[in-house]
Amino acid sequence: MSSVRHDAPTDSTTPPSPDDEGTAFADLGLRAELLGALSALGYEEPTPIQREAIPPLLGGRDLLGQAATGTGKTAAFALPLLQRMPDDRTGGDPVALVLVPTRELAVQVSEAFHRYGKDLGARVLPIYGGQPIGRQLRTLDAGVDVVVATPGRALDHIARGTLRLGGLATVVLDEADEMLDMGFAEDIEAILEHAPERRQTVLFSATMPSRIDGMARQHLTDPVRIQIGREQTVAGEAPRVRQSAYIVNRAHKPAALGRVLDVESPTAAIVFCRSREEVDRLTETMNGRGYRAEALHGGMSQEQRDRVMGRLRAGTADLLVATDVAARGLDIEQLTHVVNYDVPSAPESYVHRIGRVGRAGREGVAITLAEPREHRMLKTIERVTGQRITIDKIPTVADLRTRRLELTQAALRESLLEDDLDPFRVIVETLTDEFDIMEVALAAVKLAHEAAGPTTEDEQEIPQVAVRAAREGRPDSDRRGADRRGGGGRPRSGTTQVFVGLGRRAGVRPQDLVGAITGETGISGRDIGSIEIADRFSLVEVPQGIADEVIAGLRGSTIKGRKATVRRDRGGEGR
Ligand code: AMP
């Protein structure tokens, strides 16, 4: 990569005031303990949804928010909830209940509560199926402040009298559309009946189908409404750059970033991260992988920032890893690539970031690494900007090898056209006495290729993650009804059919099975294939790789209040 020039070094490295985007966390009225935790996590400023949701939630209002994963919605409800928690609580029943669709999310959300609430001593308990109930009972008994639960297991505890909702001040329904898709509507209704009438209710959902609207009308009182990506005003302002995204699991992100940079070979690139912490971590990782990366974030002194910009200008660094706040106002002329290491928290922020390339008719590239769960946010950004983001496959090792050979070839062509090669003529002439000229050329190319950079020998393939098309508001039960197959169907290749010994006579519906599986395991409803319900049994098609987990999950739960025989389907024998 060549050097990066920075046009106005003195002014533009000055840290921007928080007023640039209007609000800092401190302006939202959050207490010192929470501000301390956020600063320790390296969050530099609130995301748009946090800016809009936190003040009314602190004021005790109900809220209906349309926001997908990646917008920062968890902190948007968790911070006010922690702040409203009475001081010095010991013992007692929870003051807040957060209902979530899956075990995975229950764990994630309660970890978020722990991180934000550690200086407040918040006692947070995730409860979900599949986890030994004994530990949950003991912790509930000792007293908790916040319970984060899947609806099925919450209802179990309510029925046993071990989860008492009489002291709830706030109920949050997170990813409400997912919960309805999974057949939890009745469970949620039943749970809300146990909650005090006078309470704060918060509902977040990525989509707003009419069923969610109905739910909000019934359970929310005069709610504040917030919608991320509602503004269409940024359309047209977005620059014309090549925009693509890669879907990767979190664990593979550093490798994916390296692979994409290797194939793209940018002149200069800026990589945006969400927090200071992530900037520091990623800079270290990328340096360890042989890139010359520099960190830039709001926690750095002016002197440190100037030094970073100096190294970029001098060409001794190729990658700038930065937070939005730190990069604001920065104008780097030779920037060719903008990389979003995470999906930005709002379409406006995406437009801001990619606006740094493709200026004045130059070519620009914007690349986004998204986790599977953040796929929907990409769709929102596309809708708001009116521009397409192509989902590309992570380059394979073979792609990388091809690309590196192309680069060597280009370098040789350049040398043939421009360099004075005469001093080397004597070597070629001497060697051709002994070898064919083609052999000599091949050896020279090999040396040039190896000198240009690492070979692909140590490279590992990065797993591709498939993402299903977004199901805007379409209930799962419809989808499952539509592709239900007649009796005796063979499973498709790569899938297994799981036999469940309860069927129509027991009142089993597809959503009951989906709910039992997803509530008890880390599996998403999207992983479950067709469901066939016969009079006395049901067949659930699942990917082979997760069949054992599905079977264990179903065995550990009840369906319509009953235990069922669950096993791999053996193709109709004994039925
Ligand atoms: P969520 O949309 O709630 O799943 O959050 C997405 C991610 O953004 C999580 O990893 C959070 O830790 C992170 N995050 C949330 N708010 C902020 C913020 N204001 N600054 C930086 N990172 C944040």
Side-chain angles (χ1 to χ4, degrees), residues 223-549:
V224 178
R225 289 167 186 266
I226 295 176
Q227 191 177 353
I228 282 298
R230 182 195 45 217
E231 304 283 327
Q232 300 277 344
T233 47
V234 293
E237 288 171 24
R240 297 267 147 206
V241 299
R242 169 159 67 86
Q243 298 172 48
S244 54
Y246 298 93
I247 311 289
V248 266
N249 289 322
R250 178 129 216 111
H252 295 119
K253 275 196 169 183
L257 175 63
R259 180 68 51 83
V260 170
L261 289 174
D262 283 349
V263 170
E264 291 277 340
S265 46
T267 307
I270 184 166
V271 181
F272 282 103
C273 293
R274 284 192 181 125
S275 64
R276 287 201 293 267
E277 221 198 357
E278 190 152 78
V279 164
D280 284 335
R281 210 174 331 126
L282 186 62
T283 307
E284 212 178 296
T285 311
M286 295 314 281
N287 280 317
R289 286 166 177 262
Y291 299 88
R292 297 178 308 165
E294 290 286 344
L296 196 70
H297 58 62
M300 293 164 57
S301 69
Q302 185 60 43
E303 201 189 336
Q304 288 171 313
R305 298 164 60 91
D306 287 343
R307 223 176 303 142
V308 166
M309 294 317 295
R311 280 198 283 269
L312 281 168
R313 254 173 279 138
T316 51
D318 338 287
L319 265 190
L320 187 61
V321 184
T323 56
D324 288 284
V325 170
R328 217 163 271 153
L330 210 69
D331 188 12
I332 305 167
E333 189 169 281
Q334 285 175 345
L335 210 58
T336 53
H337 289 64
V338 168
V339 182
N340 298 305
Y341 193 63
D342 302 284
V343 172
S345 60
E348 293 75 9
S349 140
Y350 178 85
V351 172
H352 243 106
R353 289 178 177 186
I354 74 168
R356 286 156 196 292
V357 290
R359 291 181 179 176
R362 284 196 304 269
E363 193 207 343
V365 181
I367 289 163
T368 304
L369 302 184
E371 286 171 56
R373 293 180 54 81
E374 296 169 336
H375 181 242
R376 199 186 288 274
M377 192 58 191
L378 289 176
K379 292 274 161 227
T380 304
I381 293 170
E382 276 190 323
R383 185 168 49 75
V384 174
T385 59
Q387 297 187 3
R388 252 190 79 74
I389 303 173
T390 319
I391 308 274
D392 282 335
K393 288 207 160 119
I394 300 272
T396 60
V397 174
D399 292 335
L400 181 60
R401 194 174 302 132
T402 309
R403 177 68 182 150
R404 285 188 176 157
L405 289 171
E406 279 169 12
L407 290 173
T408 299
Q409 186 176 334
L412 287 169
R413 173 172 288 122
E414 204 171 304
S415 171
L416 281 162
L417 291 173
E418 289 175 6
D419 291 343
D420 173 15
L421 301 173
D422 261 343
F424 306 101
R425 186 172 297 276
V426 57
I427 299 182
V428 177
E429 280 170 358
T430 317
L431 286 171
T432 44
D433 290 344
E434 212 180 323
F435 302 95
D436 182 60
I437 192 155
M438 179 61 138
E439 305 284 319
V440 175
L442 287 172
V445 171
K446 174 171 178 274
L447 288 179
H449 187 69
E450 287 170 357
T455 58
T456 51
E457 269 157 33
D458 300 335
E459 297 281 344
Q460 313 245 320
E461 294 295 359
I462 300 165
Q464 305 283 349
V465 186
V467 173
R468 295 222 182 150
R471 310 155 299 155
E472 299 292 333
R474 186 154 49 101
D476 260 18
S477 46
D478 291 355
R479 168 167 68 88
R480 297 191 193 292
D483 62 14
R484 205 175 294 168
R485 291 166 297 126
R490 292 275 116 232
R492 282 173 293 214
S493 74
T495 67
T496 298
Q497 278 188 322
V498 174
F499 172 92
V500 181
L502 286 173
R504 223 172 349 254
R505 292 216 179 146
V508 172
R509 300 160 308 164
Q511 56 264 46
D512 299 321
L513 294 165
V514 176
I517 294 169
T518 53
E520 299 295 327
T521 61
I523 291 162
S524 146
R526 286 162 213 195
D527 293 330
I528 303 169
S530 69
I531 293 179
E532 185 187 323
I533 299 188
D535 271 356
R536 293 173 188 280
F537 65 90
S538 309
L539 294 173
V540 184
E541 186 187 55
V542 297
Q544 252 154 31
I546 59 169
D548 287 338
E549 198 184 343

Side-chain angles (χ1 to χ4, degrees), residues 25 43 45-47 50 68-74 115-116 274:
F25 275 116
Y43 290 11
E45 59 176 4
T47 66
Q50 291 162 2
T69 299
T71 53
K73 65 182 168 67
T74 312
R115 283 198 301 269
Y116 304 141
R274 284 192 181 125

Side-chain angles (χ1 to χ4, degrees), residues 499 520 548-559 563-568:
F499 172 92
E520 299 295 327
D548 287 338
E549 198 184 343
V550 168
I551 291 169
L554 283 171
R555 283 183 180 156
S557 72
T558 53
I559 298 158
K563 282 272 174 204
T565 313
V566 183
R567 54 171 164 75
R568 262 170 215 274

